[in-house]
Amino acid sequence: SIIRAKRCASTAPAIPKPQSLYNNQVVGVGSGSTIVYAVDRLAERVRQEKLNIVCVPTSFQARQLILQHGLTLSDLDRHPELDVAIDGADEVDAALTLIKGGGGCLTQEKIVAGCAKHFIVIADFRKDSSVLGQQWKKGVPIEVIPMAYVPVSRTIAKRFGGEAVLRMAISKAGPVVTDNSNFILDWKFEHTHNWKEVNIAIKMIPGVVETGLFVGMAERVYFGMEDGNVGVRDPPVN
C-alpha cells in the first residue's frame, strides 16, 4: 500500500505514513493539517533511505513545508507529469467523491491531482461520510473571479438550491483571497446531488474558476482511525 499506519498521541487520530515511494519519483504535495504530518514522514524516509524525491506543491503552505523539510522543490513547468499526488480532504463519501478547499487551495490542488498518475488521499476518521454533507457542514468551496461573486452566488442558489456565501477572512477585514487572488464562495447545499453533473454545470457559470468537488479523481483513500489503525476505501466497482 501507499501508506502505513503510525500510532499517534492519544489526542490525535492515526496519521497514515508514506511507504511505497521509490527513488526518482515526482510527488505532488497537498495542503492542510493532515499533510503536515505526511511531509514529516516523507522527509524522514528521504533522509533515512537517501531517496531522490522531487516535490510539487499545491499551495504556498505546501511550498513552505517542502522547503522547511529540505526536500527538493519543483513545479509543473519542469515536471508536468507526477508519479503520485498525496492530499487530504474535508469530506469523503462512499463513492470517493471529495469536498476540498476548506483551506482555500482547491484550484491548485485539483490541477496537481489531475497531473498525477495516482491520486491518493489521506484523512482522519472525522472526514468519512456515506454522503457529502453528513460530516462537513461548511458547504462546497467554489473559487470565483472577484467581480463575479454576486452573480455566481445568485445563479448557484437559483439553479441548485441552498445558499452560496462569500467566505470572509478571520484575521483581516474583508473576504478570503486565494493564492490566485480570487474569492471563495461556500455553497451550502440542501440535499444530495449528482455531483458529476453539478460540478460540470457550476464550472460553466461565467466567473467560476474551479469547484471543490473532486469527482472520480481519488483512486484510494486512507483514514487514520482513533485507535491507531488505518481504514482503506477504494472506488466502488461499477
Side-chain angles (χ1 to χ4, degrees), residues 2 25 36 46-47 71 74 76-77 85-86 92 96 123 129 134 151 156 173 175 192 200 213 227 231:
I2 294 291
Q25 280 192 322
V36 174
V46 168
R47 289 192 302 270
L71 296 167
S74 189
L76 293 177
D77 290 343
I86 304 171
V92 183
L96 264 61
S129 296
Q134 183 178 17
I156 290 173
T192 300
I200 293 171
L213 289 167
D227 62 3

Side-chain angles (χ1 to χ4, degrees), residues 106-107 142-145 180 182-183 202-203 205-211:
L106 57 148
T107 298
I142 300 168
E143 185 164 346
V144 298
I145 301 297
N180 306 311
N182 294 318
F183 291 170
I202 291 177
K203 288 178 67 171
I205 300 172
V208 171
V209 177
E210 189 53 86
T211 83

Side-chain angles (χ1 to χ4, degrees), residues 97-111:
T97 299
L98 316 176
I99 291 180
K100 290 178 53 57
C105 304
L106 57 148
T107 298
Q108 295 95 314
E109 289 171 345
K110 191 174 282 190
I111 291 170

Side-chain angles (χ1 to χ4, degrees), residues 1 23 31 41-42 62 79 89 96 103 116 125 128 136 138 146 160 176 191 209-210 220 224 226 230:
S1 65
N23 204 29
S31 310
R41 309 300 188 265
L42 174 61
H79 294 91
L96 264 61
F125 65 97
D128 184 8
W136 181 254
K138 297 180 181 180
F160 306 109
V176 168
H191 56 84
V209 177
E210 189 53 86
R220 177 168 285 185
E226 265 185 310
V230 171

